[in-house]
Amino acid sequence: MASSNVQAPKGTVDMLPATARVWEHLQRVAQKMFSLYGYEPVYTPIFEHTDVFVRGIGEATDIVGKEMYTFLDKGNPPRSLTLRPEGTASIVRAALEHGLTANGQGAKLYYAGPMFRYERPQAGRQRQFWQIGVEALGMAEASADAEVIALLVRFFEATGIPHDRMRLLINSMGDDVCRPDYRAKIAAYIHAHASVLCEECGRRAETNPLRAFDCKNPGCHSVMASAPLLRDELCDECATHYGAVKAYLDHLGIAYEEDPSLVRGLDYYTRTVFEVQASGLGAQNAIGGGGRYDRLMEQYGGAPTPGLGWAVGFERILLALKAAGIEVPVRPVAEVFVARAVPEVAGDAFLITDSLRRAGVAAEIDHQARSLKSQFKSADRLGARFVVVVGPDEIATGQVTVRDMTAGTESRVEIRDLDTTIIDRLRG
Ligand code: AMP
């Protein structure tokens, strides 16, 4: 590369056609799946008032504390805006602003788009990455938790990630009744073990003690393994809810593992949290996760409104598929290549191509005056199943030569029957 200022910024990637086509395929898989579960699309701005994330995600989280892309706009006075680091805060803000859950009605929404976090880039961790996610608002029952989790698992299955390469972890984080006491207990536990915990975990005792469970430091990990578990201290209502979620999952035959140390990094979670991990991904093995956030709407000044959802990372789905050796089926760029033998028939070839396209066939034609041989090469590169050869003889007889690139056979087809013949051979 000639100079560094023509490279994409660190932690970002250009999604070139080969990957972008897989991404579109996965979006179609997601959309189909979401529509089966009653979700509708929603698109929110890529930036929000910074406060939306600070209030929603929580000041003591890594995201708000260290990872946000925050900037002042050109207003007078300037406003603090932030590129969205995740989707839930924006969706809940939008739902409240537009009354989507007014009068207790529910809303099932999905989104897809880029997210921004200033993290240390590594395999499966970028500064701009793509998420697809769902949010189910207004639903308090445990069946909603099970449905949302089922959708996550079914979506991953539909992408092609093999069942046996995924683990679904679940936990309950309690609520305002039982969590404060537990937090205090963990803070005390951290203080009692401060000499053997890392400095960051020491600070967490004050800010966000439960995050100590997530510390990657092996010493902290083993100390936290003996810490009291919230599972044993849930209030009756949370315990009942958690039990019901598990019963529904059992009922659906969805396998899960209870992980009492699963806390996830955002402050807004209450009760059910879950994560799907895939094998073969190294440290960044969480391909998707989410949970319930029954107090989030209130934090924005709305009426108490339960909610839950999940987000999956597109790049990590790709890594999981690659690790499992799964090829994602994408349609070829061209189904048919219309090759012209000589320049004189360019107009006829163009018309034949146009007719195929209007009939719904992906048809490509050369615009670079290439030789017939090169046109066949292009056809191959684009994945075309058929090459239609147009020459003076073909125009004179009204029949073109159709070469089946897979079978290696050739036939003559009346030009007026070409569209239907190609469609029959392609789709039949
Ligand atoms: P989170 O919003 O942190 O719960 O993340 C949800 C999902 O988004 C994760 O399971 C990952 O698949 C993906 N993800 C989160 N952060 C990143 C990142 N920095 N780079 C790539 N994918 C990410």
Side-chain angles (χ1 to χ4, degrees), residues 155-186:
F155 167 63
F156 280 134
E157 285 170 358
T159 66
I161 301 173
H163 215 276
D164 60 359
R165 298 186 66 94
M166 291 187 280
R167 291 167 70 202
L168 166 65
L169 307 177
I170 64 168
N171 189 25
S172 174
M173 306 225 358
D175 64 6
D176 287 354
V177 176
C178 49
R179 196 159 52 184
D181 285 350
Y182 178 70
R183 266 178 76 116
K185 224 177 210 177
I186 294 301

mmCIF file of all heavy atoms in Angstrom, residues 155-186:
data_model
loop_
_atom_site.group_PDB
_atom_site.id
_atom_site.type_symbol
_atom_site.label_atom_id
_atom_site.label_comp_id
_atom_site.label_asym_id
_atom_site.label_seq_id
_atom_site.Cartn_x
_atom_site.Cartn_y
_atom_site.Cartn_z
ATOM 1 N N PHE A 155 -31.931 -19.593 14.739
ATOM 2 C CA PHE A 155 -31.263 -18.760 13.734
ATOM 3 C C PHE A 155 -29.861 -19.301 13.461
ATOM 4 O O PHE A 155 -29.463 -19.468 12.303
ATOM 5 C CB PHE A 155 -31.201 -17.293 14.185
ATOM 6 C CG PHE A 155 -30.253 -16.464 13.347
ATOM 7 C CD1 PHE A 155 -30.490 -16.268 11.993
ATOM 8 C CD2 PHE A 155 -29.099 -15.923 13.907
ATOM 9 C CE1 PHE A 155 -29.607 -15.529 11.205
ATOM 10 C CE2 PHE A 155 -28.208 -15.188 13.121
ATOM 11 C CZ PHE A 155 -28.463 -14.999 11.776
ATOM 12 N N PHE A 156 -29.122 -19.598 14.519
ATOM 13 C CA PHE A 156 -27.770 -20.126 14.302
ATOM 14 C C PHE A 156 -27.820 -21.439 13.521
ATOM 15 O O PHE A 156 -26.996 -21.673 12.631
ATOM 16 C CB PHE A 156 -27.045 -20.333 15.633
ATOM 17 C CG PHE A 156 -26.465 -19.057 16.203
ATOM 18 C CD1 PHE A 156 -26.625 -18.734 17.531
ATOM 19 C CD2 PHE A 156 -25.755 -18.183 15.397
ATOM 20 C CE1 PHE A 156 -26.096 -17.561 18.057
ATOM 21 C CE2 PHE A 156 -25.216 -17.008 15.901
ATOM 22 C CZ PHE A 156 -25.383 -16.696 17.235
ATOM 23 N N GLU A 157 -28.788 -22.285 13.860
ATOM 24 C CA GLU A 157 -28.914 -23.554 13.112
ATOM 25 C C GLU A 157 -29.168 -23.267 11.635
ATOM 26 O O GLU A 157 -28.589 -23.902 10.758
ATOM 27 C CB GLU A 157 -30.057 -24.399 13.689
ATOM 28 C CG GLU A 157 -29.685 -25.045 15.012
ATOM 29 C CD GLU A 157 -30.884 -25.678 15.710
ATOM 30 O OE1 GLU A 157 -32.015 -25.588 15.189
ATOM 31 O OE2 GLU A 157 -30.681 -26.240 16.789
ATOM 32 N N ALA A 158 -30.031 -22.275 11.366
ATOM 33 C CA ALA A 158 -30.379 -21.961 9.967
ATOM 34 C C ALA A 158 -29.191 -21.391 9.189
ATOM 35 O O ALA A 158 -29.137 -21.500 7.966
ATOM 36 C CB ALA A 158 -31.549 -20.981 9.927
ATOM 37 N N THR A 159 -28.239 -20.781 9.898
ATOM 38 C CA THR A 159 -27.056 -20.279 9.190
ATOM 39 C C THR A 159 -26.149 -21.436 8.752
ATOM 40 O O THR A 159 -25.294 -21.253 7.893
ATOM 41 C CB THR A 159 -26.194 -19.329 10.057
ATOM 42 O OG1 THR A 159 -25.629 -20.085 11.137
ATOM 43 C CG2 THR A 159 -26.976 -18.149 10.581
ATOM 44 N N GLY A 160 -26.347 -22.590 9.362
ATOM 45 C CA GLY A 160 -25.545 -23.752 8.991
ATOM 46 C C GLY A 160 -24.523 -24.154 10.048
ATOM 47 O O GLY A 160 -23.799 -25.129 9.870
ATOM 48 N N ILE A 161 -24.448 -23.399 11.153
ATOM 49 C CA ILE A 161 -23.490 -23.788 12.199
ATOM 50 C C ILE A 161 -23.985 -25.103 12.820
ATOM 51 O O ILE A 161 -25.121 -25.168 13.287
ATOM 52 C CB ILE A 161 -23.374 -22.705 13.294
ATOM 53 C CG1 ILE A 161 -22.930 -21.375 12.679
ATOM 54 C CG2 ILE A 161 -22.393 -23.142 14.383
ATOM 55 C CD1 ILE A 161 -22.944 -20.207 13.656
ATOM 56 N N PRO A 162 -23.146 -26.142 12.791
ATOM 57 C CA PRO A 162 -23.628 -27.426 13.305
ATOM 58 C C PRO A 162 -23.960 -27.354 14.798
ATOM 59 O O PRO A 162 -23.287 -26.681 15.574
ATOM 60 C CB PRO A 162 -22.451 -28.378 13.065
ATOM 61 C CG PRO A 162 -21.599 -27.694 12.048
ATOM 62 C CD PRO A 162 -21.788 -26.228 12.263
ATOM 63 N N HIS A 163 -25.022 -28.053 15.116
ATOM 64 C CA HIS A 163 -25.547 -28.124 16.468
ATOM 65 C C HIS A 163 -24.478 -28.433 17.509
ATOM 66 O O HIS A 163 -24.373 -27.802 18.551
ATOM 67 C CB HIS A 163 -26.575 -29.253 16.473
ATOM 68 C CG HIS A 163 -27.715 -28.968 17.359
ATOM 69 N ND1 HIS A 163 -27.672 -29.210 18.693
ATOM 70 C CD2 HIS A 163 -28.923 -28.420 17.106
ATOM 71 C CE1 HIS A 163 -28.807 -28.851 19.231
ATOM 72 N NE2 HIS A 163 -29.576 -28.348 18.293
ATOM 73 N N ASP A 164 -23.659 -29.444 17.169
ATOM 74 C CA ASP A 164 -22.694 -29.921 18.163
ATOM 75 C C ASP A 164 -21.493 -28.981 18.317
ATOM 76 O O ASP A 164 -20.590 -29.255 19.086
ATOM 77 C CB ASP A 164 -22.239 -31.346 17.820
ATOM 78 C CG ASP A 164 -21.583 -31.420 16.444
ATOM 79 O OD1 ASP A 164 -21.503 -30.363 15.766
ATOM 80 O OD2 ASP A 164 -21.159 -32.521 16.049
ATOM 81 N N ARG A 165 -21.472 -27.894 17.583
ATOM 82 C CA ARG A 165 -20.377 -26.930 17.756
ATOM 83 C C ARG A 165 -20.833 -25.700 18.534
ATOM 84 O O ARG A 165 -20.128 -24.696 18.609
ATOM 85 C CB ARG A 165 -19.814 -26.515 16.394
ATOM 86 C CG ARG A 165 -19.207 -27.698 15.631
ATOM 87 C CD ARG A 165 -18.531 -27.250 14.377
ATOM 88 N NE ARG A 165 -17.361 -26.428 14.629
ATOM 89 C CZ ARG A 165 -16.115 -26.872 14.711
ATOM 90 N NH1 ARG A 165 -15.876 -28.159 14.596
ATOM 91 N NH2 ARG A 165 -15.109 -26.048 14.909
ATOM 92 N N MET A 166 -22.055 -25.755 19.073
ATOM 93 C CA MET A 166 -22.570 -24.614 19.836
ATOM 94 C C MET A 166 -22.943 -25.030 21.254
ATOM 95 O O MET A 166 -23.387 -26.151 21.469
ATOM 96 C CB MET A 166 -23.830 -24.065 19.158
ATOM 97 C CG MET A 166 -23.573 -23.401 17.832
ATOM 98 S SD MET A 166 -25.065 -22.614 17.195
ATOM 99 C CE MET A 166 -25.955 -23.987 16.497
ATOM 100 N N ARG A 167 -22.769 -24.083 22.182
ATOM 101 C CA ARG A 167 -23.217 -24.295 23.563
ATOM 102 C C ARG A 167 -24.082 -23.114 23.932
ATOM 103 O O ARG A 167 -23.676 -21.964 23.715
ATOM 104 C CB ARG A 167 -22.036 -24.281 24.532
ATOM 105 C CG ARG A 167 -21.101 -25.445 24.426
ATOM 106 C CD ARG A 167 -19.838 -25.124 25.208
ATOM 107 N NE ARG A 167 -20.068 -25.099 26.649
ATOM 108 C CZ ARG A 167 -19.287 -24.458 27.513
ATOM 109 N NH1 ARG A 167 -18.245 -23.751 27.082
ATOM 110 N NH2 ARG A 167 -19.545 -24.495 28.809
ATOM 111 N N LEU A 168 -25.230 -23.402 24.490
ATOM 112 C CA LEU A 168 -26.090 -22.327 24.985
ATOM 113 C C LEU A 168 -25.925 -22.252 26.503
ATOM 114 O O LEU A 168 -26.161 -23.233 27.205
ATOM 115 C CB LEU A 168 -27.556 -22.614 24.628
ATOM 116 C CG LEU A 168 -28.608 -21.777 25.350
ATOM 117 C CD1 LEU A 168 -28.504 -20.301 24.958
ATOM 118 C CD2 LEU A 168 -30.015 -22.308 25.038
ATOM 119 N N LEU A 169 -25.477 -21.093 26.977
ATOM 120 C CA LEU A 169 -25.311 -20.893 28.417
ATOM 121 C C LEU A 169 -26.417 -19.964 28.912
ATOM 122 O O LEU A 169 -26.742 -18.980 28.247
ATOM 123 C CB LEU A 169 -23.958 -20.239 28.712
ATOM 124 C CG LEU A 169 -22.733 -20.926 28.125
ATOM 125 C CD1 LEU A 169 -21.472 -20.122 28.435
ATOM 126 C CD2 LEU A 169 -22.608 -22.338 28.677
ATOM 127 N N ILE A 170 -26.978 -20.279 30.065
ATOM 128 C CA ILE A 170 -28.007 -19.394 30.612
ATOM 129 C C ILE A 170 -27.734 -19.137 32.092
ATOM 130 O O ILE A 170 -27.036 -19.898 32.767
ATOM 131 C CB ILE A 170 -29.446 -19.962 30.440
ATOM 132 C CG1 ILE A 170 -29.625 -21.265 31.226
ATOM 133 C CG2 ILE A 170 -29.772 -20.194 28.976
ATOM 134 C CD1 ILE A 170 -31.082 -21.689 31.322
ATOM 135 N N ASN A 171 -28.307 -18.041 32.567
ATOM 136 C CA ASN A 171 -28.173 -17.701 33.989
ATOM 137 C C ASN A 171 -29.284 -16.716 34.335
ATOM 138 O O ASN A 171 -29.946 -16.182 33.439
ATOM 139 C CB ASN A 171 -26.800 -17.059 34.245
ATOM 140 C CG ASN A 171 -26.501 -16.866 35.725
ATOM 141 O OD1 ASN A 171 -27.047 -17.578 36.567
ATOM 142 N ND2 ASN A 171 -25.651 -15.908 36.029
ATOM 143 N N SER A 172 -29.483 -16.477 35.623
ATOM 144 C CA SER A 172 -30.381 -15.404 36.038
ATOM 145 C C SER A 172 -29.569 -14.390 36.824
ATOM 146 O O SER A 172 -28.773 -14.757 37.694
ATOM 147 C CB SER A 172 -31.532 -15.920 36.911
ATOM 148 O OG SER A 172 -32.262 -14.795 37.384
ATOM 149 N N MET A 173 -29.748 -13.117 36.492
ATOM 150 C CA MET A 173 -29.028 -12.044 37.193
ATOM 151 C C MET A 173 -29.867 -11.402 38.275
ATOM 152 O O MET A 173 -29.502 -10.367 38.816
ATOM 153 C CB MET A 173 -28.590 -10.964 36.199
ATOM 154 C CG MET A 173 -27.813 -11.548 35.069
ATOM 155 S SD MET A 173 -26.321 -10.722 34.579
ATOM 156 C CE MET A 173 -26.108 -9.308 35.534
ATOM 157 N N GLY A 174 -31.041 -11.991 38.560
ATOM 158 C CA GLY A 174 -31.868 -11.424 39.617
ATOM 159 C C GLY A 174 -32.484 -10.088 39.214
ATOM 160 O O GLY A 174 -32.444 -9.700 38.047
ATOM 161 N N ASP A 175 -33.033 -9.398 40.193
ATOM 162 C CA ASP A 175 -33.660 -8.106 39.902
ATOM 163 C C ASP A 175 -33.371 -7.124 41.033
ATOM 164 O O ASP A 175 -32.496 -7.374 41.866
ATOM 165 C CB ASP A 175 -35.166 -8.277 39.662
ATOM 166 C CG ASP A 175 -35.898 -8.768 40.914
ATOM 167 O OD1 ASP A 175 -35.263 -8.873 41.982
ATOM 168 O OD2 ASP A 175 -37.103 -9.042 40.814
ATOM 169 N N ASP A 176 -34.128 -6.039 41.072
ATOM 170 C CA ASP A 176 -33.878 -5.000 42.081
ATOM 171 C C ASP A 176 -34.100 -5.494 43.504
ATOM 172 O O ASP A 176 -33.660 -4.872 44.457
ATOM 173 C CB ASP A 176 -34.811 -3.801 41.845
ATOM 174 C CG ASP A 176 -34.379 -3.027 40.628
ATOM 175 O OD1 ASP A 176 -33.320 -3.362 40.068
ATOM 176 O OD2 ASP A 176 -35.115 -2.103 40.243
ATOM 177 N N VAL A 177 -34.838 -6.584 43.639
ATOM 178 C CA VAL A 177 -35.100 -7.105 44.979
ATOM 179 C C VAL A 177 -33.887 -7.870 45.495
ATOM 180 O O VAL A 177 -33.421 -7.654 46.621
ATOM 181 C CB VAL A 177 -36.358 -8.020 44.975
ATOM 182 C CG1 VAL A 177 -36.586 -8.657 46.336
ATOM 183 C CG2 VAL A 177 -37.580 -7.230 44.502
ATOM 184 N N CYS A 178 -33.353 -8.769 44.658
ATOM 185 C CA CYS A 178 -32.297 -9.643 45.167
ATOM 186 C C CYS A 178 -30.878 -9.242 44.762
ATOM 187 O O CYS A 178 -29.913 -9.623 45.421
ATOM 188 C CB CYS A 178 -32.566 -11.097 44.785
ATOM 189 S SG CYS A 178 -32.976 -11.359 43.056
ATOM 190 N N ARG A 179 -30.743 -8.456 43.697
ATOM 191 C CA ARG A 179 -29.376 -8.197 43.241
ATOM 192 C C ARG A 179 -28.584 -7.249 44.135
ATOM 193 O O ARG A 179 -27.382 -7.459 44.338
ATOM 194 C CB ARG A 179 -29.338 -7.747 41.788
ATOM 195 C CG ARG A 179 -27.911 -7.863 41.243
ATOM 196 C CD ARG A 179 -27.828 -7.924 39.770
ATOM 197 N NE ARG A 179 -28.557 -6.821 39.162
ATOM 198 C CZ ARG A 179 -28.708 -6.696 37.855
ATOM 199 N NH1 ARG A 179 -28.200 -7.591 37.053
ATOM 200 N NH2 ARG A 179 -29.378 -5.690 37.356
ATOM 201 N N PRO A 180 -29.208 -6.169 44.664
ATOM 202 C CA PRO A 180 -28.390 -5.248 45.482
ATOM 203 C C PRO A 180 -27.650 -5.950 46.630
ATOM 204 O O PRO A 180 -26.459 -5.713 46.849
ATOM 205 C CB PRO A 180 -29.416 -4.239 45.997
ATOM 206 C CG PRO A 180 -30.489 -4.237 44.950
ATOM 207 C CD PRO A 180 -30.573 -5.659 44.474
ATOM 208 N N ASP A 181 -28.353 -6.830 47.346
ATOM 209 C CA ASP A 181 -27.701 -7.545 48.455
ATOM 210 C C ASP A 181 -26.556 -8.402 47.935
ATOM 211 O O ASP A 181 -25.491 -8.518 48.539
ATOM 212 C CB ASP A 181 -28.702 -8.478 49.166
ATOM 213 C CG ASP A 181 -29.642 -7.673 50.037
ATOM 214 O OD1 ASP A 181 -29.373 -6.462 50.218
ATOM 215 O OD2 ASP A 181 -30.651 -8.252 50.509
ATOM 216 N N TYR A 182 -26.826 -9.027 46.788
ATOM 217 C CA TYR A 182 -25.808 -9.905 46.207
ATOM 218 C C TYR A 182 -24.584 -9.098 45.773
ATOM 219 O O TYR A 182 -23.444 -9.497 46.010
ATOM 220 C CB TYR A 182 -26.412 -10.682 45.039
ATOM 221 C CG TYR A 182 -25.408 -11.572 44.360
ATOM 222 C CD1 TYR A 182 -24.909 -12.705 45.004
ATOM 223 C CD2 TYR A 182 -24.943 -11.280 43.088
ATOM 224 C CE1 TYR A 182 -23.963 -13.512 44.385
ATOM 225 C CE2 TYR A 182 -24.006 -12.090 42.466
ATOM 226 C CZ TYR A 182 -23.518 -13.202 43.124
ATOM 227 O OH TYR A 182 -22.588 -13.997 42.517
ATOM 228 N N ARG A 183 -24.854 -7.946 45.156
ATOM 229 C CA ARG A 183 -23.744 -7.065 44.741
ATOM 230 C C ARG A 183 -22.872 -6.709 45.932
ATOM 231 O O ARG A 183 -21.644 -6.755 45.864
ATOM 232 C CB ARG A 183 -24.298 -5.755 44.160
ATOM 233 C CG ARG A 183 -24.457 -5.745 42.679
ATOM 234 C CD ARG A 183 -25.067 -4.412 42.258
ATOM 235 N NE ARG A 183 -24.071 -3.352 42.294
ATOM 236 C CZ ARG A 183 -23.657 -2.682 41.233
ATOM 237 N NH1 ARG A 183 -24.165 -2.951 40.049
ATOM 238 N NH2 ARG A 183 -22.750 -1.747 41.332
ATOM 239 N N ALA A 184 -23.536 -6.383 47.028
ATOM 240 C CA ALA A 184 -22.801 -6.006 48.240
ATOM 241 C C ALA A 184 -21.956 -7.192 48.720
ATOM 242 O O ALA A 184 -20.812 -7.034 49.155
ATOM 243 C CB ALA A 184 -23.773 -5.545 49.318
ATOM 244 N N LYS A 185 -22.533 -8.372 48.607
ATOM 245 C CA LYS A 185 -21.828 -9.580 49.037
ATOM 246 C C LYS A 185 -20.571 -9.803 48.184
ATOM 247 O O LYS A 185 -19.498 -10.143 48.694
ATOM 248 C CB LYS A 185 -22.768 -10.778 48.857
ATOM 249 C CG LYS A 185 -22.764 -11.722 50.019
ATOM 250 C CD LYS A 185 -23.764 -12.807 49.800
ATOM 251 C CE LYS A 185 -24.287 -13.261 51.148
ATOM 252 N NZ LYS A 185 -25.314 -14.253 51.075
ATOM 253 N N ILE A 186 -20.724 -9.606 46.885
ATOM 254 C CA ILE A 186 -19.579 -9.799 45.971
ATOM 255 C C ILE A 186 -18.522 -8.719 46.220
ATOM 256 O O ILE A 186 -17.314 -8.994 46.213
ATOM 257 C CB ILE A 186 -20.033 -9.808 44.496
ATOM 258 C CG1 ILE A 186 -20.895 -11.033 44.233
ATOM 259 C CG2 ILE A 186 -18.831 -9.820 43.537
ATOM 260 C CD1 ILE A 186 -20.213 -12.374 44.503
#
